């Protein structure tokens, strides 16, 4: 599986250096890419020294968002970006669109009951993330679903 990577360890803002880490990659929009995205996220967060609990939560979130993008769009690829600034992690998953009725992959209507196999992913994302949302891509095709998780001493 081929993927793009862009890792940047530090950014300067306003003359000061803050902790900012970023990794971006894309994978084919196929089922096997979900596990690869989880592995990629785990490896990067481990490299960055992010704690076990947040790594596990982020793996679950990326799994749900990637799965939605693969299952509910006609995308050829799915893009993912991880960005850590101070004690906040922002995860974005971008599809190329083409889903049923033009709905973004991350905001599918819940179709399963409490015991159903499908339909609980966004409830999980909502429970794990401090905030999450969706926005259309600038070119009008596809959507970006994002989630933010806090960790460390300043986390809620």
């Amino acid at each position: 599986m081929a993927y793009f990577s862009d890792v940047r360890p530090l950014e300067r803002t306003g003359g000061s250096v803050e902790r900012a880490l970023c990794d971006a990659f894309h994978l084919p929009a196929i089922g096997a890419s979900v596990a690869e995205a989880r592995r990629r996220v785990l490896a990067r967060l481990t490299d960055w020294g992010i704690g076990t609990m947040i790594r596990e939560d982020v793996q679950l979130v990326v799994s749900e968002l990637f799965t939605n993008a693969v299952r509910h769009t006609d995308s050829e690829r799915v893009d993912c970006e991880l960005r850590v600034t101070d004690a906040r992690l922002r995860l974005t998953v971008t599809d190329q669109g083409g889903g049923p009725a033009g709905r973004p992959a991350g905001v599918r209507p819940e179709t399963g009951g409490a015991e159903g196999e499908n339909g609980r992913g966004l409830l999980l994302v909502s429970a794990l993330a401090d905030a999450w949302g969706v926005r259309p891509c600038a070119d009008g095709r596809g959507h970006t679903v994002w989630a933010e998780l806090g960790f460390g001493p300043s986390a809620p």
Side-chain angles (χ1 to χ4, degrees):
M1 243 178 254
Y3 59 84
F4 166 80
S5 179
D6 180 19
V7 179
R8 289 167 272 167
L10 291 175
E11 291 180 354
R12 291 193 179 272
T13 57
S16 66
V17 177
E18 64 181 40
R19 181 175 183 220
L21 303 164
C22 183
D23 185 27
F25 61 94
H26 62 256
L27 296 167
I30 58 174
S33 292
V34 176
E36 179 62 24
R38 279 193 311 264
R39 281 190 293 275
R40 173 66 186 244
V41 165
L42 175 62
R44 184 59 62 217
L45 295 179
T46 300
D47 289 348
W48 291 344
I50 304 298
T52 302
M53 285 184 60
I54 191 72
R55 288 194 317 248
E56 291 173 358
D57 289 351
V58 174
Q59 278 189 285
L60 287 171
V61 171
V62 77
S63 181
E64 293 301 331
L65 298 183
F66 232 87
T67 297
N68 282 352
V70 168
R71 284 188 181 173
H72 303 297
T73 72
D74 295 330
S75 300
E76 291 182 17
R77 75 177 206 194
V78 178
D79 299 329
C80 184
E81 181 179 283
L82 288 169
R83 181 176 296 273
V84 174
T85 305
D86 295 325
R88 299 214 48 82
L89 183 141
R90 182 176 179 95
L91 166 73
T92 61
V93 174
T94 303
D95 64 62
Q96 296 174 310
R103 278 194 234 84
V107 291
R108 299 273 305 152
E110 302 301 329
T111 56
E115 303 302 316
E117 184 177 321
N118 296 318
R120 294 182 285 177
L122 293 177
L123 292 174
L124 179 63
V125 170
S126 183
L128 295 174
D130 297 332
W132 73 277
V134 62
R135 68 177 185 273
C137 293
D139 65 3
R141 296 190 62 229
H143 298 85
T144 296
V145 183
W146 57 270
E148 290 187 352
L149 295 87
F151 62 94
S154 64

